[in-house]
Amino acid sequence: LERAREVGIERMEEYSRRPHASPGATSEELVAELLALKARYPTLGPKKLSVMMQGRIEQRTAGRILKRHGLTCASRNPPETCCSFERAYPNELWQMDFKGLKRRPPRYEVLSVVDDATRRLIALQAIPNQQLETFWPVLWEAFGEYGLPDSILTDNGASFRCFATWRLSRMDVLLIRLGIHPAHGRPYHPQTQGKVERFHRTLQDHAKGNLIQNSITEVQPILDDFHSFYDWIRPHESIGQRPPGTIYASSKRSRPSQIPEVTYESRVAVRKVCKGGFFKFKGEEYRAGKGLIGEPVGICQNEVDGEFTVYFGTYRLGLLRECAP
């Protein structure tokens, strides 16, 4: 009433309710550190920035500060609920995929390999194409540095899978000889390889247009910098906001000096797969697949029902009658 008499009822407005003093307010030094960290890593939000500051600014406080400075992005729609899986220990499963970047000459792809359990980035390499002869040396070097995984999961691309016949590809054969189980997701269901697919979005958000360069030699240093940042600096929410490199451990199965040959017990009938992917057994011709050309397959008879089963090493190809051409 007293204020209304002084200024007039028509000029009445609500005063700010902000307190005159805020002893618990975040210091200007911490705010400046947060803003500097956000400027250095613009794709990170308050959750990860709070972790990187060792919790000296709470997540909600960091979010309010970023919002006050116009540095927050509109949140994406929540993802659809889906069935997910996660391996229990490092190197139980690696996920591998290509990300096509530059379609015009000189074109290049990026090969990404991610450990399923820890999200450790095993390989991130720009290569000119998706042919086995091109990407196998990258995988071979990763085996030498990190050891052999139990299994590798890929999609059904022509580089990874014999899509026409659903039989073993040449890559599958090499993995089996190393004692690595080749796994492939359902066709047209990239969510099966969800972790490496999600990694590609993180890479794209972080690097933005910098992934398109004039040559592989120009883009690879950018990928190397991101590789180090992703493994050792960036907190990962699904593993308790820890960088993947801090919890990953190399495989206890070291890479051999060369790919071993497949051997069988004496009771197993061995046949060599010839041109066209065929082999002969008891005068009949059967199809093993072109990925096995030059490789020995084993044929073992089941004592219970008398059926013959075809193997490549320990990998079961199927019943003999299912291999009929």
Side-chain angles (χ1 to χ4, degrees):
L1 290 175
E2 182 178 352
R3 186 153 60 92
R5 295 189 188 100
E6 292 177 357
V7 302
I9 190 67
E10 67 282 354
R11 298 180 62 184
M12 288 291 290
E13 61 183 17
E14 188 162 357
Y15 281 179
S16 171
R17 297 180 180 178
R18 183 176 181 179
H20 295 296
S22 301
T26 306
S27 67
E28 295 182 3
E29 290 79 9
L30 281 179
V31 172
E33 184 179 345
L34 174 67
L35 297 179
L37 207 57
K38 177 66 175 177
R40 185 177 180 184
Y41 306 112
T43 60
L44 301 188
K47 283 184 180 180
K48 289 180 171 52
L49 293 174
S50 174
V51 172
M52 293 173 71
M53 294 183 66
Q54 288 82 42
R56 287 176 293 139
I57 293 184
E58 295 292 335
Q59 175 189 324
R60 293 179 60 185
T61 303
R64 287 195 294 266
I65 294 172
L66 295 178
K67 183 177 181 180
R68 190 162 66 240
H69 288 80
L71 297 175
T72 54
C73 301
S75 59
R76 295 184 175 95
N77 294 329
E80 297 180 3
T81 303
C82 61
C83 180
S84 61
F85 66 88
E86 184 174 88
R87 293 297 184 259
Y89 57 85
N91 307 302
E92 187 177 356
L93 176 69
W94 290 359
Q95 294 192 20
M96 179 169 66
D97 198 9
F98 289 105
K99 180 172 180 59
L101 291 177
K102 197 168 186 290
R103 297 303 184 185
R104 295 180 179 179
R107 61 168 292 179
Y108 54 80
E109 317 272 343
V110 169
L111 175 67
S112 307
V113 185
V114 178
D115 178 62
D116 186 272
T118 66
R119 313 305 196 274
R120 174 70 186 268
L121 188 53
I122 301 297
L124 187 65
Q125 182 70 40
I127 53 179
N129 55 59
Q130 297 185 12
Q131 296 178 9
L132 177 64
E133 295 76 12
T134 304
F135 73 80
W136 182 259
V138 179
L139 206 53
W140 184 254
E141 184 177 351
F143 293 153
E145 183 174 357
Y146 300 104
L148 301 178
D150 295 344
S151 179
I152 290 183
L153 172 66
T154 68
D155 60 20
N156 295 281
S159 306
F160 302 139
R161 187 74 184 272
C162 186
F163 188 76
T165 61
W166 298 107
R167 299 185 187 275
L168 293 179
S169 67
R170 190 60 190 164
M171 184 199 75
D172 293 335
V173 170
L174 294 176
L175 292 179
I176 292 171
R177 287 173 58 180
L178 285 166
I180 302 171
H181 177 76
H184 302 277
R186 290 175 58 196
Y188 313 112
H189 285 74
Q191 58 267 35
T192 307
Q193 301 81 233
K195 295 180 181 67
V196 70
E197 295 284 357
R198 179 61 180 85
F199 165 76
H200 283 160
R201 196 182 84 181
T202 300
L203 171 63
Q204 188 167 329
D205 289 346
H206 179 86
K208 300 189 182 299
N210 291 333
L211 295 177
I212 307 301
Q213 299 292 332
N214 295 322
S215 66
I216 290 178
T217 55
E218 292 182 24
V219 75
Q220 190 58 50
I222 298 173
L223 296 175
D224 292 341
D225 288 344
F226 179 76
H227 192 162
S228 178
F229 163 72
Y230 185 87
D231 276 348
W232 299 105
I233 298 177
R234 180 184 181 273
H236 203 296
E237 186 171 354
S238 65
I239 54 175
Q241 296 293 11
R242 294 170 293 178
T246 61
I247 62 173
Y248 175 80
S250 297
S251 172
K252 295 180 180 179
R253 295 200 303 145
S254 59
R255 186 198 72 185
S257 58
Q258 58 184 4
I259 303 177
E261 300 292 338
V262 170
T263 58
Y264 298 94
E265 297 178 0
S266 58
R267 65 183 182 88
V268 178
V270 180
R271 297 292 185 273
K272 185 176 181 180
V273 180
C274 301
K275 185 178 180 181
F278 294 92
F279 67 94
K280 288 186 176 181
F281 182 69
K282 293 187 175 181
E284 299 291 333
E285 192 173 59
Y286 298 91
R287 181 192 297 274
K290 293 183 178 180
L292 283 164
I293 293 177
E295 300 287 347
V297 294
I299 304 157
C300 185
Q301 187 174 22
N302 191 323
E303 296 179 356
V304 177
D305 55 16
E307 284 268 25
F308 288 96
T309 304
V310 185
Y311 292 88
F312 175 63
T314 58
Y315 188 91
R316 183 181 183 274
L317 296 175
L319 294 175
L320 182 64
R321 55 182 170 83
E322 296 172 342
C323 297

